[in-house]
Amino acid sequence: MRMEDKLTRLIALFGLLMNLLLAASSALVSSGDYDRDFFVMWSPSHVNTSSDGRMRSLILDRDSGAGFASNDMFLFGKMDMQIKLIPGYSAGTVVAFYLTSDQPNRDEVDFEFLGNVVGQSYILQTNIYSDGFDNREERIHLWFDPTRDFHNYSILWNINQIVFFVDSIPIRTFRNHADKGVAFPRWQPMSIKATLWNGDSWATRGGKDKVDWSKGPFAASFGNYTIDACTWRGNPRFCRSESSGNWWNGRDYSSLTRVQKRWFKWVRINHMIYDYCQDNQRFQGNLPLECSLSKY
């Protein structure tokens, strides 16, 4: 066999091996069992899990809140979590579902649900850390009561964009404008976390409404979840690939669809109550660079 043929075969075999590794690294990684896919970060006495592992609740009282985190870390993918929030008086409480790299220059993608007094609706705050920098809060009022039933909250994270979804409706995007000088989470793997804690120094009306412990203990419930993501194995090239396994990196997910753009605009027109990109006073007229760039 000629040397050129041997080289061609070796290259083909190497390519096949890489494709197999990519597929293995990008498989659906959630079992649907909280006890198998997550560990309790703190206060296990404040975490209740159903006997089949399919439901979990976090408890907040005077003694402690609680939280859990995924066993694995991921670089790109889609993460879905069904959550039912604290009913009744929930002022001062914060329920969070987020991705984080836990590094000093951390990347983080946050859903934060800010409790409220009876008669006032929950506020959903989203935030993004890129290379340790945040100050990118957006806030909306939800168009339903998130305490009456479970709703699905999702994060799509790929090399092109981050999209926050509520029941499949896109409420926020953050595009990869790294080529224009905007930091974008694209190198650091992140774990999935969920927490319930006392944030009454800031969460409700800037800290004016405090946690009323006589109304506690407070419980947030977590239901079905899906993790379809690239499990971190130490090589970012696998997760950045546009292989069939890494479907979220495909062209169809590089921007919002036409229908998604309409929903996105609907949310921002009808339900947005704070956008850091419109807060000239906070940034003294020097808004972050991404505020002048496209959102999809």
Side-chain angles (χ1 to χ4, degrees), residues 194-228:
T195 56
L196 169 57
W197 45 285
N198 176 6
D200 68 5
S201 64
W202 64 275
T204 309
R205 290 203 307 143
K208 293 180 180 179
D209 294 318
K210 303 296 185 180
V211 173
D212 183 349
W213 297 111
S214 70
K215 303 287 197 302
F218 304 96
S221 301
F222 298 81
N224 295 330
Y225 64 90
T226 303
I227 306 169
D228 198 351

mmCIF file of all heavy atoms in Angstrom, residues 194-228:
data_model
loop_
_atom_site.group_PDB
_atom_site.id
_atom_site.type_symbol
_atom_site.label_atom_id
_atom_site.label_comp_id
_atom_site.label_asym_id
_atom_site.label_seq_id
_atom_site.Cartn_x
_atom_site.Cartn_y
_atom_site.Cartn_z
ATOM 1 N N ALA A 194 -29.390 25.102 41.533
ATOM 2 C CA ALA A 194 -30.675 25.655 41.952
ATOM 3 C C ALA A 194 -30.593 25.936 43.444
ATOM 4 O O ALA A 194 -30.089 25.100 44.206
ATOM 5 C CB ALA A 194 -31.819 24.685 41.654
ATOM 6 N N THR A 195 -31.069 27.112 43.850
ATOM 7 C CA THR A 195 -30.951 27.520 45.246
ATOM 8 C C THR A 195 -32.202 28.271 45.693
ATOM 9 O O THR A 195 -32.939 28.832 44.874
ATOM 10 C CB THR A 195 -29.724 28.429 45.464
ATOM 11 O OG1 THR A 195 -29.819 29.568 44.586
ATOM 12 C CG2 THR A 195 -28.416 27.692 45.174
ATOM 13 N N LEU A 196 -32.409 28.284 46.995
ATOM 14 C CA LEU A 196 -33.436 29.105 47.638
ATOM 15 C C LEU A 196 -32.780 29.757 48.839
ATOM 16 O O LEU A 196 -32.218 29.074 49.690
ATOM 17 C CB LEU A 196 -34.628 28.245 48.066
ATOM 18 C CG LEU A 196 -35.675 28.917 48.976
ATOM 19 C CD1 LEU A 196 -36.257 30.165 48.345
ATOM 20 C CD2 LEU A 196 -36.772 27.922 49.343
ATOM 21 N N TRP A 197 -32.851 31.092 48.915
ATOM 22 C CA TRP A 197 -32.125 31.779 49.974
ATOM 23 C C TRP A 197 -32.773 33.110 50.321
ATOM 24 O O TRP A 197 -33.664 33.594 49.621
ATOM 25 C CB TRP A 197 -30.664 31.986 49.583
ATOM 26 C CG TRP A 197 -30.416 32.487 48.192
ATOM 27 C CD1 TRP A 197 -30.511 31.774 47.025
ATOM 28 C CD2 TRP A 197 -30.060 33.819 47.793
ATOM 29 N NE1 TRP A 197 -30.209 32.571 45.945
ATOM 30 C CE2 TRP A 197 -29.925 33.820 46.381
ATOM 31 C CE3 TRP A 197 -29.801 34.991 48.493
ATOM 32 C CZ2 TRP A 197 -29.575 34.968 45.664
ATOM 33 C CZ3 TRP A 197 -29.441 36.138 47.779
ATOM 34 C CH2 TRP A 197 -29.330 36.109 46.385
ATOM 35 N N ASN A 198 -32.307 33.700 51.415
ATOM 36 C CA ASN A 198 -32.808 34.968 51.920
ATOM 37 C C ASN A 198 -32.051 36.107 51.238
ATOM 38 O O ASN A 198 -30.871 36.328 51.492
ATOM 39 C CB ASN A 198 -32.616 35.038 53.438
ATOM 40 C CG ASN A 198 -33.024 36.386 54.016
ATOM 41 O OD1 ASN A 198 -33.552 37.246 53.312
ATOM 42 N ND2 ASN A 198 -32.786 36.570 55.303
ATOM 43 N N GLY A 199 -32.753 36.827 50.361
ATOM 44 C CA GLY A 199 -32.158 37.975 49.689
ATOM 45 C C GLY A 199 -32.856 39.265 50.042
ATOM 46 O O GLY A 199 -32.926 40.184 49.208
ATOM 47 N N ASP A 200 -33.366 39.364 51.285
ATOM 48 C CA ASP A 200 -34.217 40.519 51.583
ATOM 49 C C ASP A 200 -33.449 41.833 51.750
ATOM 50 O O ASP A 200 -34.051 42.873 51.959
ATOM 51 C CB ASP A 200 -35.137 40.248 52.771
ATOM 52 C CG ASP A 200 -34.413 40.115 54.111
ATOM 53 O OD1 ASP A 200 -33.180 40.322 54.157
ATOM 54 O OD2 ASP A 200 -35.085 39.812 55.115
ATOM 55 N N SER A 201 -32.131 41.789 51.615
ATOM 56 C CA SER A 201 -31.380 43.046 51.625
ATOM 57 C C SER A 201 -31.542 43.814 50.311
ATOM 58 O O SER A 201 -31.228 45.004 50.241
ATOM 59 C CB SER A 201 -29.893 42.770 51.886
ATOM 60 O OG SER A 201 -29.334 42.001 50.827
ATOM 61 N N TRP A 202 -32.058 43.115 49.257
ATOM 62 C CA TRP A 202 -32.156 43.768 47.953
ATOM 63 C C TRP A 202 -33.312 43.284 47.075
ATOM 64 O O TRP A 202 -33.758 44.006 46.178
ATOM 65 C CB TRP A 202 -30.864 43.542 47.149
ATOM 66 C CG TRP A 202 -30.629 42.081 46.812
ATOM 67 C CD1 TRP A 202 -30.024 41.150 47.595
ATOM 68 C CD2 TRP A 202 -31.029 41.407 45.619
ATOM 69 N NE1 TRP A 202 -30.012 39.924 46.968
ATOM 70 C CE2 TRP A 202 -30.616 40.049 45.758
ATOM 71 C CE3 TRP A 202 -31.670 41.785 44.445
ATOM 72 C CZ2 TRP A 202 -30.842 39.084 44.762
ATOM 73 C CZ3 TRP A 202 -31.896 40.836 43.457
ATOM 74 C CH2 TRP A 202 -31.482 39.495 43.622
ATOM 75 N N ALA A 203 -33.839 42.077 47.317
ATOM 76 C CA ALA A 203 -34.666 41.402 46.312
ATOM 77 C C ALA A 203 -36.025 42.055 46.070
ATOM 78 O O ALA A 203 -36.504 42.086 44.940
ATOM 79 C CB ALA A 203 -34.851 39.934 46.696
ATOM 80 N N THR A 204 -36.684 42.545 47.105
ATOM 81 C CA THR A 204 -38.043 43.069 46.958
ATOM 82 C C THR A 204 -38.067 44.559 47.281
ATOM 83 O O THR A 204 -37.758 44.967 48.400
ATOM 84 C CB THR A 204 -39.016 42.316 47.882
ATOM 85 O OG1 THR A 204 -38.858 40.906 47.690
ATOM 86 C CG2 THR A 204 -40.451 42.702 47.598
ATOM 87 N N ARG A 205 -38.387 45.350 46.271
ATOM 88 C CA ARG A 205 -38.387 46.817 46.375
ATOM 89 C C ARG A 205 -37.068 47.325 46.952
ATOM 90 O O ARG A 205 -37.038 48.184 47.831
ATOM 91 C CB ARG A 205 -39.567 47.305 47.212
ATOM 92 C CG ARG A 205 -40.912 47.139 46.532
ATOM 93 C CD ARG A 205 -41.952 48.098 47.079
ATOM 94 N NE ARG A 205 -42.062 48.007 48.533
ATOM 95 C CZ ARG A 205 -42.284 49.056 49.324
ATOM 96 N NH1 ARG A 205 -42.398 50.266 48.803
ATOM 97 N NH2 ARG A 205 -42.384 48.895 50.629
ATOM 98 N N GLY A 206 -35.983 46.774 46.433
ATOM 99 C CA GLY A 206 -34.667 47.233 46.852
ATOM 100 C C GLY A 206 -34.347 46.961 48.308
ATOM 101 O O GLY A 206 -33.494 47.628 48.897
ATOM 102 N N GLY A 207 -35.009 45.965 48.892
ATOM 103 C CA GLY A 207 -34.756 45.602 50.284
ATOM 104 C C GLY A 207 -35.746 46.189 51.272
ATOM 105 O O GLY A 207 -35.619 45.964 52.484
ATOM 106 N N LYS A 208 -36.769 46.900 50.790
ATOM 107 C CA LYS A 208 -37.748 47.501 51.704
ATOM 108 C C LYS A 208 -38.689 46.468 52.308
ATOM 109 O O LYS A 208 -39.151 46.626 53.441
ATOM 110 C CB LYS A 208 -38.542 48.576 50.969
ATOM 111 C CG LYS A 208 -37.702 49.786 50.563
ATOM 112 C CD LYS A 208 -38.539 50.822 49.835
ATOM 113 C CE LYS A 208 -37.678 52.020 49.434
ATOM 114 N NZ LYS A 208 -38.473 53.043 48.692
ATOM 115 N N ASP A 209 -39.024 45.424 51.529
ATOM 116 C CA ASP A 209 -39.911 44.369 52.038
ATOM 117 C C ASP A 209 -39.063 43.169 52.437
ATOM 118 O O ASP A 209 -38.373 42.575 51.607
ATOM 119 C CB ASP A 209 -40.923 43.958 50.966
ATOM 120 C CG ASP A 209 -41.890 45.082 50.634
ATOM 121 O OD1 ASP A 209 -42.350 45.747 51.573
ATOM 122 O OD2 ASP A 209 -42.164 45.298 49.445
ATOM 123 N N LYS A 210 -39.129 42.827 53.716
ATOM 124 C CA LYS A 210 -38.286 41.774 54.268
ATOM 125 C C LYS A 210 -39.014 40.431 54.313
ATOM 126 O O LYS A 210 -40.232 40.351 54.158
ATOM 127 C CB LYS A 210 -37.848 42.158 55.690
ATOM 128 C CG LYS A 210 -37.124 43.492 55.780
ATOM 129 C CD LYS A 210 -35.814 43.460 55.012
ATOM 130 C CE LYS A 210 -35.028 44.758 55.193
ATOM 131 N NZ LYS A 210 -33.741 44.760 54.458
ATOM 132 N N VAL A 211 -38.247 39.379 54.541
ATOM 133 C CA VAL A 211 -38.837 38.063 54.763
ATOM 134 C C VAL A 211 -39.656 38.105 56.050
ATOM 135 O O VAL A 211 -39.182 38.580 57.084
ATOM 136 C CB VAL A 211 -37.746 36.978 54.881
ATOM 137 C CG1 VAL A 211 -38.370 35.641 55.279
ATOM 138 C CG2 VAL A 211 -36.977 36.841 53.577
ATOM 139 N N ASP A 212 -40.879 37.635 55.992
ATOM 140 C CA ASP A 212 -41.735 37.519 57.173
ATOM 141 C C ASP A 212 -41.682 36.057 57.625
ATOM 142 O O ASP A 212 -42.370 35.197 57.071
ATOM 143 C CB ASP A 212 -43.169 37.931 56.828
ATOM 144 C CG ASP A 212 -44.096 37.898 58.038
ATOM 145 O OD1 ASP A 212 -43.686 37.364 59.095
ATOM 146 O OD2 ASP A 212 -45.232 38.400 57.917
ATOM 147 N N TRP A 213 -40.860 35.801 58.622
ATOM 148 C CA TRP A 213 -40.626 34.418 59.036
ATOM 149 C C TRP A 213 -41.866 33.759 59.613
ATOM 150 O O TRP A 213 -41.954 32.529 59.651
ATOM 151 C CB TRP A 213 -39.470 34.362 60.032
ATOM 152 C CG TRP A 213 -38.166 34.826 59.435
ATOM 153 C CD1 TRP A 213 -37.485 35.961 59.737
ATOM 154 C CD2 TRP A 213 -37.436 34.179 58.393
ATOM 155 N NE1 TRP A 213 -36.365 36.063 58.963
ATOM 156 C CE2 TRP A 213 -36.303 34.983 58.133
ATOM 157 C CE3 TRP A 213 -37.624 33.018 57.654
ATOM 158 C CZ2 TRP A 213 -35.355 34.654 57.161
ATOM 159 C CZ3 TRP A 213 -36.679 32.683 56.693
ATOM 160 C CH2 TRP A 213 -35.566 33.488 56.447
ATOM 161 N N SER A 214 -42.840 34.571 60.056
ATOM 162 C CA SER A 214 -44.082 33.978 60.564
ATOM 163 C C SER A 214 -44.876 33.314 59.456
ATOM 164 O O SER A 214 -45.756 32.484 59.724
ATOM 165 C CB SER A 214 -44.942 35.056 61.232
ATOM 166 O OG SER A 214 -45.469 35.967 60.260
ATOM 167 N N LYS A 215 -44.567 33.645 58.198
ATOM 168 C CA LYS A 215 -45.249 33.034 57.056
ATOM 169 C C LYS A 215 -44.529 31.762 56.577
ATOM 170 O O LYS A 215 -45.010 31.069 55.695
ATOM 171 C CB LYS A 215 -45.306 34.028 55.874
ATOM 172 C CG LYS A 215 -45.980 35.353 56.192
ATOM 173 C CD LYS A 215 -47.477 35.199 56.314
ATOM 174 C CE LYS A 215 -48.191 36.543 56.207
ATOM 175 N NZ LYS A 215 -47.782 37.532 57.213
ATOM 176 N N GLY A 216 -43.379 31.480 57.136
ATOM 177 C CA GLY A 216 -42.577 30.336 56.699
ATOM 178 C C GLY A 216 -42.971 29.041 57.386
ATOM 179 O O GLY A 216 -43.899 28.997 58.199
ATOM 180 N N PRO A 217 -42.277 27.948 57.074
ATOM 181 C CA PRO A 217 -41.160 27.889 56.128
ATOM 182 C C PRO A 217 -41.646 28.037 54.677
ATOM 183 O O PRO A 217 -42.784 27.742 54.363
ATOM 184 C CB PRO A 217 -40.559 26.508 56.364
ATOM 185 C CG PRO A 217 -41.704 25.686 56.863
ATOM 186 C CD PRO A 217 -42.550 26.632 57.676
ATOM 187 N N PHE A 218 -40.722 28.489 53.822
ATOM 188 C CA PHE A 218 -41.025 28.736 52.423
ATOM 189 C C PHE A 218 -40.455 27.596 51.580
ATOM 190 O O PHE A 218 -39.341 27.127 51.823
ATOM 191 C CB PHE A 218 -40.406 30.064 51.979
ATOM 192 C CG PHE A 218 -40.843 31.237 52.825
ATOM 193 C CD1 PHE A 218 -40.055 31.666 53.881
ATOM 194 C CD2 PHE A 218 -42.035 31.890 52.566
ATOM 195 C CE1 PHE A 218 -40.450 32.738 54.678
ATOM 196 C CE2 PHE A 218 -42.441 32.964 53.352
ATOM 197 C CZ PHE A 218 -41.646 33.388 54.420
ATOM 198 N N ALA A 219 -41.237 27.155 50.590
ATOM 199 C CA ALA A 219 -40.807 26.016 49.774
ATOM 200 C C ALA A 219 -40.974 26.317 48.293
ATOM 201 O O ALA A 219 -42.014 26.826 47.857
ATOM 202 C CB ALA A 219 -41.610 24.765 50.145
ATOM 203 N N ALA A 220 -39.944 26.012 47.521
ATOM 204 C CA ALA A 220 -39.993 26.067 46.056
ATOM 205 C C ALA A 220 -39.834 24.646 45.541
ATOM 206 O O ALA A 220 -39.003 23.879 46.044
ATOM 207 C CB ALA A 220 -38.892 26.958 45.504
ATOM 208 N N SER A 221 -40.612 24.286 44.523
ATOM 209 C CA SER A 221 -40.634 22.911 44.032
ATOM 210 C C SER A 221 -40.023 22.819 42.636
ATOM 211 O O SER A 221 -40.220 23.700 41.795
ATOM 212 C CB SER A 221 -42.076 22.392 43.984
ATOM 213 O OG SER A 221 -42.668 22.441 45.270
ATOM 214 N N PHE A 222 -39.312 21.735 42.412
ATOM 215 C CA PHE A 222 -38.652 21.480 41.130
ATOM 216 C C PHE A 222 -39.147 20.144 40.593
ATOM 217 O O PHE A 222 -39.117 19.132 41.302
ATOM 218 C CB PHE A 222 -37.132 21.466 41.311
ATOM 219 C CG PHE A 222 -36.578 22.772 41.801
ATOM 220 C CD1 PHE A 222 -36.631 23.099 43.150
ATOM 221 C CD2 PHE A 222 -36.041 23.686 40.909
ATOM 222 C CE1 PHE A 222 -36.136 24.317 43.611
ATOM 223 C CE2 PHE A 222 -35.545 24.900 41.353
ATOM 224 C CZ PHE A 222 -35.591 25.221 42.718
ATOM 225 N N GLY A 223 -39.605 20.154 39.333
ATOM 226 C CA GLY A 223 -40.182 18.958 38.739
ATOM 227 C C GLY A 223 -39.300 18.374 37.657
ATOM 228 O O GLY A 223 -38.089 18.224 37.830
ATOM 229 N N ASN A 224 -39.896 18.059 36.512
ATOM 230 C CA ASN A 224 -39.147 17.447 35.422
ATOM 231 C C ASN A 224 -38.040 18.375 34.924
ATOM 232 O O ASN A 224 -38.205 19.592 34.879
ATOM 233 C CB ASN A 224 -40.080 17.118 34.254
ATOM 234 C CG ASN A 224 -41.103 16.062 34.613
ATOM 235 O OD1 ASN A 224 -40.859 15.198 35.449
ATOM 236 N ND2 ASN A 224 -42.266 16.132 33.980
ATOM 237 N N TYR A 225 -36.937 17.786 34.545
ATOM 238 C CA TYR A 225 -35.826 18.557 33.993
ATOM 239 C C TYR A 225 -35.197 17.759 32.861
ATOM 240 O O TYR A 225 -35.328 16.533 32.777
ATOM 241 C CB TYR A 225 -34.775 18.862 35.071
ATOM 242 C CG TYR A 225 -34.094 17.632 35.622
ATOM 243 C CD1 TYR A 225 -32.928 17.136 35.037
ATOM 244 C CD2 TYR A 225 -34.626 16.943 36.712
ATOM 245 C CE1 TYR A 225 -32.314 15.990 35.526
ATOM 246 C CE2 TYR A 225 -34.022 15.815 37.195
ATOM 247 C CZ TYR A 225 -32.863 15.341 36.609
ATOM 248 O OH TYR A 225 -32.259 14.194 37.085
ATOM 249 N N THR A 226 -34.504 18.483 31.981
ATOM 250 C CA THR A 226 -33.781 17.852 30.881
ATOM 251 C C THR A 226 -32.437 18.543 30.731
ATOM 252 O O THR A 226 -32.370 19.779 30.716
ATOM 253 C CB THR A 226 -34.549 17.957 29.548
ATOM 254 O OG1 THR A 226 -35.843 17.371 29.699
ATOM 255 C CG2 THR A 226 -33.799 17.234 28.437
ATOM 256 N N ILE A 227 -31.388 17.758 30.624
ATOM 257 C CA ILE A 227 -30.052 18.288 30.344
ATOM 258 C C ILE A 227 -29.582 17.637 29.052
ATOM 259 O O ILE A 227 -29.279 16.452 29.020
ATOM 260 C CB ILE A 227 -29.062 17.969 31.486
ATOM 261 C CG1 ILE A 227 -29.601 18.438 32.839
ATOM 262 C CG2 ILE A 227 -27.697 18.607 31.187
ATOM 263 C CD1 ILE A 227 -28.810 17.914 34.028
ATOM 264 N N ASP A 228 -29.568 18.401 27.987
ATOM 265 C CA ASP A 228 -29.092 17.905 26.691
ATOM 266 C C ASP A 228 -27.896 18.771 26.333
ATOM 267 O O ASP A 228 -28.038 19.842 25.733
ATOM 268 C CB ASP A 228 -30.204 18.024 25.647
ATOM 269 C CG ASP A 228 -29.936 17.143 24.432
ATOM 270 O OD1 ASP A 228 -28.832 16.588 24.337
ATOM 271 O OD2 ASP A 228 -30.822 17.035 23.569
#
